[in-house]
């Protein structure tokens, strides 16, 4: 970072947007040295940084909450225990409001989604150049610290939610119920011939609705975080433009970071609420 | 390649137009509801933030894809 020639703006942005990808190229397995090589690696490339940060944060969440649960004592609740209790009660309340089936598995999953996505998003608040500079010293030149700005991560989570929707729909409504819900929904008629005409129209409508759920769920988080990080990068570019613009950039960074705190919590909350609502719709048995 | 700029601008522009109108209406209705029944203020505000996040989704997806177009699909054009 420091040694090379004067970077153009687009190179700086490009540098902050390339993942650390590990994949197969003609030189065999290895890390990509630039964006083009990463693109060549194609589908089977692994974004090591997104995986590393997201799994690491998932572990942080799991271990910290388990530690709180282990040491929970009614007598002398510690500050951390109060915080964890507050989070659990908050999520439990939201799930109770919006989930109408009976499934003991939903609330813990909702808590996991909320805290994990929140942790992943808060990595965005770390100033743009700090971690890449430190990682640069350690020899890692390309790195994206916020896992949720990687479409693979957000669409991957949305895909998991989609699989859950299908699984629970079939489990609660049965295959017939689920397919019936797709094919008989908006238009139905007594006369079988007319009904047969309606089925493809219904299927088209319902399938679009069904596929829109995971797609919008994943892309909503990606769009918000990617746009947020892009603005942080653009602000960070102002630091290199002399004292006046630099200090103005600092003020902008502070303002945008404070607003971004709202965006981060809101997006994590919406991801959780929509997952619970989709699963609640999957559990409805007519 | 320069058309990508126009494409991204259209995506972001129209998305923002819709969201701005939606947010304006949402805010107005929140104020009306709170004025009509002040004790429901906090609950309405909670719902308003949830809906603001949902309204924000589509333009943000547009912004996300628009910036993806600019910086990832055609990196050279931005400079």
């Amino acid at each position: 970072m420091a040694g090379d020639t004067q970077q153009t703006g687009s190179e700086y942005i490009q540098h902050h947007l390339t993942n650390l990808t590990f994949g197969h190229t003609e030189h065999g397995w290895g890390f990509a040295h630039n964006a083009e090589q990463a693109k060549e690696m194609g589908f089977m490339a692994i974004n090591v940084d997104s995986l590393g940060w997201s799994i690491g944060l998932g572990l942080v969440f799991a271990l910290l909450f388990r530690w709180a649960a282990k040491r929970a004592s009614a007598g002398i609740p510690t500050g951390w225990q109060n915080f964890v209790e507050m989070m659990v009660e908050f999520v439990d309340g939201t799930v109770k409001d919006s989930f109408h089936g009976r499934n003991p598995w939903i609330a813990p999953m909702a808590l996991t989604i909320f805290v994990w996505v929140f942790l992943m998003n808060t990595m965005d608040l770390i100033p743009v150049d700090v971690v890449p500079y430190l990682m640069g010293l350690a020899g890692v030149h390309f790195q994206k610290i916020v896992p949720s700005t990687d479409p693979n991560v957000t669409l991957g989570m949305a895909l998991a939610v989609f699989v859950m929707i299908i699984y629970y729909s079939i489990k609660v409504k049965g295959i017939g119920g689920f397919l019936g819900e797709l094919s008989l929904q908006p238009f139905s008629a007594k006369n079988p011939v007319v009904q047969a005409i309606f089925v493809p129209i219904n299927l088209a409508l319902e399938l679009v609705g069904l596929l829109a759920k995971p797609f919008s769920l994943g892309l909503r988080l990606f769009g918000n975080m990617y746009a947020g990080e892009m603005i942080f990068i653009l602000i960070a570019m102002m630091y290199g433009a002399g004292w006046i613009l630099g200090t103005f950039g600092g003020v902008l960074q502070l303002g945008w970071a404070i607003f971004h705190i709202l965006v981060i919590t809101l997006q994590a909350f919406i991801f959780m609420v929509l997952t619970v609502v989709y699963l609640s719709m999957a559990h409805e048995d007519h | 390649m320069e058309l990508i700029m126009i494409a991204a601008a259209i995506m972001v522009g129209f998305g923002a137009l819709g969201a701005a109108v939606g947010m304006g209406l949402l805010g107005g209705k929140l104020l009306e509801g709170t004025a009509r029944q002040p004790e429901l203020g906090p609950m309405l505000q909670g719902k308003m933030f949830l809906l603001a996040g949902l309204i924000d989704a589509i333009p943000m997806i547009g912004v996300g894809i628009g910036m993806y177009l600019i910086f990832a699909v055609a990196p050279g054009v931005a400079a």
Side-chain angles (χ1 to χ4, degrees):
Chain A
M1 280 285 283
D4 53 13
T5 57
Q6 179 61 24
Q7 272 189 331
T8 62
S10 139
E11 269 167 29
Y12 177 79
I13 293 174
Q14 199 51 40
H15 171 266
H16 278 289
L17 287 179
T18 39
N19 284 86
L20 178 64
T21 38
F22 180 84
H24 184 74
T25 56
E26 57 280 353
H27 323 298
W29 290 89
F31 284 102
H33 299 300
N34 48 43
E36 289 69 29
Q37 215 173 22
K39 229 169 261 164
E40 276 157 32
M41 290 177 182
F43 184 74
M44 290 316 289
I46 306 158
N47 286 354
V48 173
D49 56 350
S50 305
L51 275 180
W53 285 108
S54 47
I55 293 171
L57 288 168
L59 284 177
V60 161
F61 155 67
L63 295 179
L64 281 182
F65 273 57
R66 186 173 160 277
W67 178 58
K70 272 266 181 299
R71 283 182 50 256
S73 69
I76 356 129
T78 61
W80 172 245
Q81 184 189 333
N82 292 340
F83 175 72
V84 169
E85 272 170 18
M86 191 188 76
M87 295 297 286
V88 170
E89 272 152 19
F90 168 67
V91 169
D92 199 34
T94 319
V95 168
K96 272 207 181 66
D97 298 345
S98 39
F99 186 74
H100 305 302
R102 203 180 19 278
N103 184 336
W105 190 72
I106 295 294
M109 184 205 63
L111 176 72
T112 312
I113 284 182
F114 180 61
V115 178
W116 192 28
V117 170
F118 178 75
L119 281 177
M120 279 205 276
N121 292 348
T122 27
M123 305 301 283
D124 208 1
L125 291 180
I126 300 169
V128 172
D129 278 319
V130 170
V131 175
Y133 181 72
L134 298 176
M135 291 289 233
L137 302 182
V140 174
H141 292 299
F142 288 101
Q143 209 266 353
K144 254 169 96 173
I145 183 170
V146 189
S148 39
T149 51
D150 185 346
N152 306 309
V153 171
T154 53
L155 287 171
M157 286 197 291
L159 193 67
V161 169
F162 186 58
V163 166
M164 275 193 285
I165 291 171
I166 305 271
Y167 169 73
Y168 281 118
S169 292
I170 292 172
K171 185 172 167 217
V172 169
K173 301 181 189 121
I175 297 271
F178 179 53
L179 294 179
E181 191 189 48
L182 286 181
S183 55
L184 308 173
Q185 197 66 6
F187 306 111
S188 61
K190 295 291 166 291
N191 176 340
V193 173
V194 176
Q195 179 59 48
I197 300 164
F198 278 150
V199 162
I201 303 166
N202 292 342
L203 272 181
L205 292 173
E206 284 299 319
L207 281 180
V208 167
L210 190 68
L211 289 178
K213 287 179 190 163
F215 201 64
S216 70
L217 197 63
L219 272 182
R220 176 183 300 115
L221 184 58
F222 165 71
N224 276 285
M225 286 303 127
Y226 191 81
E229 195 198 344
M230 179 59 67
I231 288 169
F232 271 129
I233 294 173
L234 292 176
I235 291 173
M237 270 169 61
M238 292 170 74
Y239 293 144
W243 275 101
I244 311 123
L245 268 180
T247 41
F248 180 60
V251 169
L252 270 179
Q253 166 108 11
L254 190 66
W256 179 248
I258 291 170
F259 171 70
H260 207 48
I261 293 171
L262 166 71
V263 168
I264 286 171
T265 25
L266 198 59
Q267 284 310 315
F269 177 69
I270 285 172
F271 199 98
M272 176 193 80
V273 165
L274 277 180
T275 312
V276 169
V277 164
Y278 289 154
L279 289 177
S280 156
M281 278 155 62
H283 276 72
E284 259 162 35
D285 200 351
H286 307 298
Chain B
M1 260 319 208
E2 282 65 23
L3 279 182
I4 277 195
M5 286 298 163
I6 299 172
I10 290 177
M11 283 166 66
V12 174
F14 279 120
L17 187 70
V21 170
M23 295 286 196
L25 287 172
L26 182 66
K29 289 290 187 286
L30 169 75
L31 292 180
E32 267 173 40
T34 315
R36 188 162 291 144
Q37 284 176 313
E39 70 279 4
L40 289 184
M43 188 276 285
L44 283 178
Q45 201 175 8
K47 294 270 190 296
M48 179 269 201
F49 271 118
L50 176 68
L51 280 169
L54 290 175
I55 290 176
D56 226 8
I58 313 297
M60 266 310 155
I61 293 175
V63 168
I65 295 177
M67 289 197 184
Y68 189 74
L69 275 182
I70 295 172
F71 292 110
V73 170
V77 179

